[in-house]
């Protein structure tokens, strides 16, 4: 009797609606899995069509093309003699479901619909799909004729069932189901399922990877079993980066870890595992065994196929490993860089254009592009032909091969310092030095002529000329003068360059950016990253990339340099302009979004958090100032440059942070509640002091 099973999972860089490319990558993953001896292959969620298809899921074409691709998979010699588990949308009785289609040797074994849909944050699955709510129930699904002709099956099981092979039992979870309080693996494990599979489309957020790993390992620690997780990888056409991390776990110990960030389009993990390890682990869990005697059994689909071989007594099994996590700085270096690479190669453009100001934000963006160049050169050096082919398309040279990151960076990154009479020599020097060290094609442009032309038109039309604050102008005049459109000159550059934005998540939250300038970029790799994390990332690049130009950049105070200099020195700083520090902004952002705090709740939390540094009255003033500026500038969120999602307090208005953009910025009721509470606290403090004196 066989006891060792060889299984495979994968991370695929699928692309929404790219049925040709997606099919090719699926077949390649199956081929690799078979070559490594696997008898079961698991792929990511909705891998046939791509996860991020959004409202395309409503189209009948989506269902048609998915079944056409499934037909090619069923017919392919590559998919024979291995159980294949693929993801696609399926309509059953006029209802759309997010499904796994599991097949073997041109026969569909089971169509398993998703039972718990992801419907928070970036996910809107309930908009397109319906959850399967009939636990442990199976119905007949009548196959399209194109599939019937291949499988000779009129109908197949559709619903919540498990597969009983000749040697083990396999149960399915789909992404969100792992994260629910009552995950299917609990009841399945009690009912004797030994192998659990999870096909995911889980995106990257800074400091999140351990949550997914801990969920998998803790699930198997409690109940025993083999857990196989597949995940989407890369940018499939939106703001998210799916971060791979395919994994295989046994009884709570990781035995195979996939890469979190990689330029490889197909990554396959294979492990050989002993089923007796699961059975012996479960043997002494008396609480589990007692529950098993009372469990409602699952419908078992019998499969005349074994994952093990009869002569496997001497087959070595895969040993546990220690999971290796990236630091947040490494995540910033790798994740947004991979996202940029996918966007660049799939958009058909010739490179990036980055306004490089010499500050932390634009420098961090430049370093991310440089990190991308490092990864591209490393992939080419390691023989990745797909990456080399993409490089040659981008530079429009079929014979080109990148020599080093700086040389490749000069091909694909144009940086420009846009100087005005308000710019300092220090920022000019910092931008120039960094550009030289990363190798970008750097140009200097003086925009005073453009600015003065706009002023001249304004003065001719209105008969008035605004003045900066330092020249006697009002605050309103000062703000108007800083919001001159600066990016129009980039239009029409030969070769088509993607303009990179450089607004961080904290500035977006407060609206501290020029609506028709900073929001006019094409994509923004740092739009979901906090200022504090960007500063740490700059330090990481200084130490690991040896970019010495970053020393002066990280020590300089953040400034927009939009106001006139004083004696040749910068007179304007970001934090003074905003009336709050970046550290405070990060706290406000987390409380507003993650803690779901309105003005009053935020005040209540901060009087405790900041009790040693601020009085209740000062806290109230800070909270009011934040919400006033947030609400006044909320309209800017509607035009934010599409940004890499890396923070769970992102104010992205596209799908993640759905809020009004026209507020009553007086917040009269909310602020009155705060004032009343401040009065009570001050009165209580006075009474306490009086009693103490008496």
């Amino acid at each position: 009797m066989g006891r060792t099973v060889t299984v495979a999972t994968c991370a695929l860089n699928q692309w929404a609606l790219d049925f040709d490319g997606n099919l090719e990558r699926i077949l390649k993953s199956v081929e690799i899995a078979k070559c490594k001896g696997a008898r079961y292959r698991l792929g990511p969620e909705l891998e046939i069509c791509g996860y991020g298809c959004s409202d395309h899921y409503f189209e009948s074409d989506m269902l048609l093309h998915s079944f056409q691709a499934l037909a090619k998979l069923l017919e392919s010699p590559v998919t024979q003699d291995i159980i294949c588990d693929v993801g696609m949308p399926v309509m059953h009785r006029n209802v759309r479901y997010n499904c796994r289609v599991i097949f073997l040797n041109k026969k569909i074994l089971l169509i398993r619909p998703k039972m718990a849909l992801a419907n928070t944050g970036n996910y809107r699955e309930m908009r397109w799909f319906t959850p399967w709510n009939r636990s442990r129930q199976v119905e007949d699904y009548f196959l399209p004729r194109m599939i019937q002709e291949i499988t000779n099956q009129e109908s197949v099981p559709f619903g919540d069932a498990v597969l009983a092979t000749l040697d083990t039992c396999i149960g399915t979870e789909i992404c969100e189901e792992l994260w629910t309080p009552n995950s299917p693996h609990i009841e399945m494990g009690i009912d004797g399922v030994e192998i659990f599979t999870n096909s995911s489309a889980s995106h990257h957020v800074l400091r999140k990877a351990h949550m997914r790993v801990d969920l998998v390992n803790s699930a198997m620690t409690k109940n025993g079993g083999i857990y196989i997780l597949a995940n989407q990888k890369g940018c499939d056409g939106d703001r998210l980066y799916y971060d791979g991390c395919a994994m295989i776990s046994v009884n709570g110990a990781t035995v195979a870890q996939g890469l979190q960030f990689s330029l490889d389009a197909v990554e396959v993990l294979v492990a050989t595992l002993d089923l007796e390890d699961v059975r012996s682990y479960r043997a002494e869990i008396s609480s589990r065994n007692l529950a098993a005697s009372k469990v409602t059994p699952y419908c078992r689909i019998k499969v005349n196929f074994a994952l093990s071989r009869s002569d496997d007594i001497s087959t070595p099994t895969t040993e546990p490993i220690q999971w290796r996590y990236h630091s947040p700085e490494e995540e910033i270096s790798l994740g947004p860089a991979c996202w940029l690479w996918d966007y660049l190669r799939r958009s058909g453009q010739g490179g990036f254009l980055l306004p490089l100001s010499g500050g932390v934000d634009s420098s961090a963006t430049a370093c991310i592009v440089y990190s991308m160049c490092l990864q591209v050169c490393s992939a080419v050096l390691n023989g990745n032909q797909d990456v080399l082919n993409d490089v040659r398309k981008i530079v429009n040279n079929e014979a080109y091969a990148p020599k080093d990151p700086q040389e490749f960076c000069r091909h694909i990154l144009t940086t420009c310092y846009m100087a005005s009479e308000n710019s300092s020599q220090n920022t000019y020097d910092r931008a120039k030095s960094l550009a030289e060290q990363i190798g970008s094609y750097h140009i200097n442009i003086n925009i005073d002529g453009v600015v003065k032309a706009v002023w001249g038109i304004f003065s001719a039309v209105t008969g008035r000329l605004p003045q900066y604050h330092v020249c006697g102008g009002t605050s309103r005049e000062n703000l108007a003068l800083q919001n001159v459109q600066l990016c129009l000159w980039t239009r029409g550059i030969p070769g088509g360059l993607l303009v990179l934005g450089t607004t961080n998540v904290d500035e977006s939250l407060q609206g501290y950016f020029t609506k028709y300038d900073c929001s006019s970029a094409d994509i923004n790799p740092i739009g979901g990253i906090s200022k504090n994390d960007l500063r740490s990332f700059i330090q990481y690049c200084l130490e690991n990339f040896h970019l010495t130009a970053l020393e002066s950049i990280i020590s300089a105070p953040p400034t927009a340099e939009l106001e006139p200099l004083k004696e040749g020195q910068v007179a304007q700083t970001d934090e003074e302009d905003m009336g709050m520090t970046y550290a405070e902004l990060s706290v406000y952002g987390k409380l507003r979004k993650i803690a779901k705090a309105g003005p009053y709740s935020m005040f209540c939390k901060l009087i405790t958090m900041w009790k040693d540094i601020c009085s209740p009255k000062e806290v109230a003033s800070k909270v009011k100032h934040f919400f006033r500026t947030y609400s006044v500038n909320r309209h800017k969120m509607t035009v934010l440059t599409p940004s890499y999602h890396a923070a769970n307090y992102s104010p992205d208005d596209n799908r993640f942070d759905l809020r009004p953009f026209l507020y009553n910025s007086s917040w009269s009721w909310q602020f009155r509640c705060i004032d009343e509470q401040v009065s009570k606290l001050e009165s209580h403090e006075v009474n306490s002091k009086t009693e103490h004196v008496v």
Side-chain angles (χ1 to χ4, degrees):
M1 182 177 70
R3 54 187 288 168
T4 58
V5 296
T6 302
V7 294
T9 183
C10 56
L12 303 183
N13 195 328
Q14 304 298 75
W15 190 9
L17 303 173
D18 180 24
F19 290 95
D20 282 319
N22 294 345
L23 177 61
E24 180 183 343
R25 287 180 283 271
I26 292 170
L27 285 171
K28 184 176 180 180
S29 71
V30 176
E31 184 177 23
I32 294 172
K34 283 182 67 176
C35 287
K36 294 185 177 182
R39 306 272 282 174
Y40 187 101
R41 176 269 181 201
L42 177 72
E45 186 173 10
L46 293 168
E47 60 190 303
I48 284 181
C49 57
Y51 183 80
C53 296
S54 299
D55 281 2
H56 288 287
Y57 287 122
F58 292 134
E59 299 169 358
S60 61
D61 283 8
M62 173 66 69
L63 302 170
L64 170 65
H65 299 326
S66 294
F67 271 112
Q68 288 171 334
L70 176 63
K72 290 186 177 297
L73 286 171
L74 288 164
E75 291 179 314
S76 173
V78 172
T79 62
Q80 306 309 301
D81 299 321
I82 182 172
I83 297 177
C84 295
D85 188 334
V86 300
M88 59 179 275
V90 176
M91 179 181 284
H92 176 53
R93 298 184 180 177
N94 291 348
V95 178
R96 284 176 172 80
Y97 294 96
N98 175 347
C99 294
R100 303 304 299 174
V101 179
I102 308 171
F103 62 91
L104 169 68
N105 293 335
K106 298 186 179 181
K107 300 289 184 183
I108 294 177
L109 305 174
L110 172 68
I111 300 178
R112 201 309 200 144
K114 192 171 183 178
M115 301 176 69
L117 299 183
N119 211 54
T120 58
N122 288 293
Y123 298 102
R124 293 288 180 273
E125 289 181 13
M126 287 288 287
R127 179 180 176 93
W128 309 299
F129 302 111
T130 299
W132 180 259
N133 289 318
R134 293 189 279 283
S135 176
R136 297 175 176 82
Q137 293 185 36
V138 175
E139 298 176 353
D140 285 334
Y141 176 79
F142 291 91
L143 293 169
R145 281 175 292 180
M146 73 173 85
I147 304 299
Q148 290 184 28
E149 291 171 359
I150 300 169
T151 66
N152 292 319
Q153 296 168 292
E154 182 182 54
S155 64
V156 297
F158 184 101
D160 184 24
V162 297
L163 301 181
T165 64
L166 296 176
D167 48 3
T168 188
C169 190
I170 305 168
T172 299
E173 288 188 326
I174 306 176
C175 200
E176 180 72 8
E177 294 171 4
L178 171 64
W179 300 75
T180 58
N182 190 25
S183 296
H185 69 256
I186 298 171
E187 291 290 306
M188 286 193 293
I190 293 173
D191 191 34
V193 172
E194 295 176 330
I195 299 176
F196 307 89
T197 68
N198 186 302
S199 52
S200 286
S202 183
H203 68 281
H204 173 238
V205 173
L206 291 176
R207 305 174 178 88
K208 172 192 168 186
H210 71 281
M211 296 173 63
R212 193 186 306 138
V213 177
D214 290 348
L215 273 173
V216 169
N217 286 337
S218 63
M220 296 300 97
T221 299
K222 287 193 304 180
N223 206 0
I226 297 168
Y227 204 99
I228 312 169
L229 184 141
N231 194 21
Q232 163 86 353
K233 179 170 64 174
C235 167
D236 81 340
D238 207 338
R239 291 156 171 79
L240 304 183
Y241 180 83
Y242 300 96
D243 60 339
C245 288
M247 66 177 293
I248 301 174
S249 172
V250 181
N251 298 335
T254 303
V255 296
Q257 173 188 355
L259 296 174
Q260 188 174 15
F261 309 106
S262 166
L263 301 188
D264 295 333
V266 177
E267 179 190 17
V268 179
L269 296 184
V270 175
T272 299
L273 311 163
D274 193 339
L275 292 171
E276 292 302 319
D277 288 341
V278 175
R279 294 158 187 166
S280 59
Y281 184 90
R282 288 177 171 178
E284 61 180 4
I285 307 177
S286 58
S287 58
R288 177 209 166 271
N289 299 335
L290 180 62
S293 66
K294 299 180 290 185
V295 72
T296 302
Y298 279 79
C299 172
R300 278 168 160 73
I301 309 297
K302 295 181 180 180
V303 184
N304 187 24
F305 186 78
L307 302 191
S308 61
R309 302 181 188 277
S310 58
D311 57 346
D312 62 358
I313 190 67
S314 61
T315 302
T317 56
T318 308
E319 295 298 318
I321 60 172
Q322 188 68 39
W323 193 281
R324 195 269 181 185
Y325 295 100
H326 292 289
S327 69
E329 293 76 23
E330 288 176 320
E331 290 186 85
I332 295 172
S333 173
L334 298 170
C338 290
W339 182 78
L340 283 179
W341 174 246
D342 279 346
Y343 202 102
L344 176 61
R345 68 191 181 91
R346 286 175 167 168
S347 67
Q349 300 303 305
F352 300 113
L353 173 69
L354 173 64
L356 189 59
S357 68
V360 165
D361 293 335
S362 63
S363 299
T365 303
C367 288
I368 288 171
V369 177
Y370 181 69
S371 175
M372 185 200 81
C373 295
L374 280 166
Q375 293 184 68
V376 168
C377 290
S378 176
V380 171
L381 184 64
N382 291 329
N384 192 319
Q385 189 63 40
D386 291 337
V387 172
L388 180 58
N389 291 341
D390 287 329
V391 166
R392 288 172 172 172
K393 288 178 184 176
I394 291 167
V395 302
N396 196 27
N397 183 343
E398 294 183 358
Y400 173 76
K403 298 182 179 65
D404 56 63
Q406 287 86 357
E407 183 265 343
F408 180 54
C409 190
R410 186 169 181 83
H411 276 87
I412 56 97
L413 178 61
T414 298
T415 53
C416 59
Y417 183 81
M418 296 188 293
S420 73
E421 60 185 15
N422 302 328
S423 303
S424 67
Q425 185 65 37
N426 289 336
T427 54
Y428 169 86
D429 292 339
R430 291 198 294 264
K432 183 174 182 292
S433 179
L434 179 59
E436 289 174 350
Q437 291 183 13
I438 65 174
S440 66
Y441 179 77
H442 190 65
I443 54 179
N444 294 298
I445 299 173
N446 190 300
I447 60 171
D448 281 332
V450 176
V451 175
K452 289 177 180 177
V454 173
W455 288 3
I457 294 171
F458 178 84
S459 177
V461 172
T462 65
R464 302 175 62 188
L465 188 63
Q467 299 294 322
Y468 282 105
H469 195 272
V470 296
C471 300
T474 64
S475 296
R476 189 171 183 180
E477 290 176 84
N478 198 57
L479 183 63
L481 284 167
Q482 295 181 45
N483 278 265
V484 176
Q485 165 61 274
L486 302 180
C487 287
L488 290 179
W489 65 273
T490 64
R491 308 301 184 191
I493 291 180
L497 298 179
L498 294 165
V499 180
L500 297 180
T502 59
T503 302
N504 62 61
V505 71
D506 297 325
E507 291 168 344
S508 297
L509 174 66
Q510 205 261 356
Y512 185 66
F513 62 90
T514 48
K515 183 174 181 179
Y516 304 108
D517 176 15
C518 291
S519 62
S520 299
D522 294 309
I523 50 176
N524 182 358
I526 68 166
I529 305 175
S530 73
K531 190 77 163 188
N532 290 338
D533 281 337
L534 288 173
R535 294 181 70 85
S536 298
F537 169 63
I538 289 290
Q539 184 65 40
Y540 169 87
C541 293
L542 172 62
E543 296 169 2
N544 291 272
F545 297 163
H546 310 296
L547 302 174
T548 56
L550 297 174
E551 288 183 3
S552 58
I553 291 171
I554 199 171
S555 62
T559 175
E561 282 198 334
L562 295 175
E563 296 183 25
L565 304 174
K566 284 185 177 179
E567 299 177 355
Q569 300 299 314
V570 172
Q572 177 190 27
T573 64
D574 292 350
E575 293 184 332
E576 185 178 353
D577 272 2
M578 293 188 298
M580 61 191 78
T581 66
Y582 280 107
E584 289 173 339
L585 250 179
S586 186
V587 172
Y588 297 147
K590 291 171 184 174
L591 289 176
R592 181 199 69 96
K593 178 64 178 178
I594 300 174
K596 299 169 182 63
Y600 180 74
S601 293
M602 186 179 292
F603 165 76
C604 292
K605 289 181 179 293
L606 288 176
I607 57 173
T608 302
M609 290 173 61
W610 290 349
K611 62 181 179 181
D612 296 330
I613 56 175
C614 292
S615 68
K617 191 171 185 178
E618 290 171 328
V619 172
S621 177
K622 287 176 178 289
V623 170
K624 289 178 183 178
H625 177 60
F626 165 71
F627 273 98
R628 284 194 194 100
T629 55
Y630 162 77
S631 57
V632 166
N633 290 318
R634 175 65 191 174
H635 64 97
K636 295 182 180 181
M637 301 306 102
T638 64
V639 294
L640 267 182
T641 296
S643 302
Y644 181 98
H645 180 88
N648 278 331
Y649 67 96
S650 166
D652 172 33
D653 189 65
N654 172 260
R655 66 163 70 168
F656 184 71
D657 189 41
L658 306 181
R659 313 274 176 136
F661 59 84
L662 179 61
Y663 279 96
N664 181 346
S665 60
S666 69
W667 300 86
S668 56
W669 188 289
Q670 294 90 335
F671 287 0
R672 187 164 62 249
C673 289
I674 292 175
D675 291 338
E676 290 171 356
Q677 191 61 47
V678 169
S679 297
K680 289 179 182 178
L681 290 170
E682 290 179 339
S683 176
H684 177 73
E685 185 178 356
V686 169
N687 291 337
S688 297
K689 289 180 179 179
T690 303
E691 290 173 2
H692 180 71
V693 171
V694 173

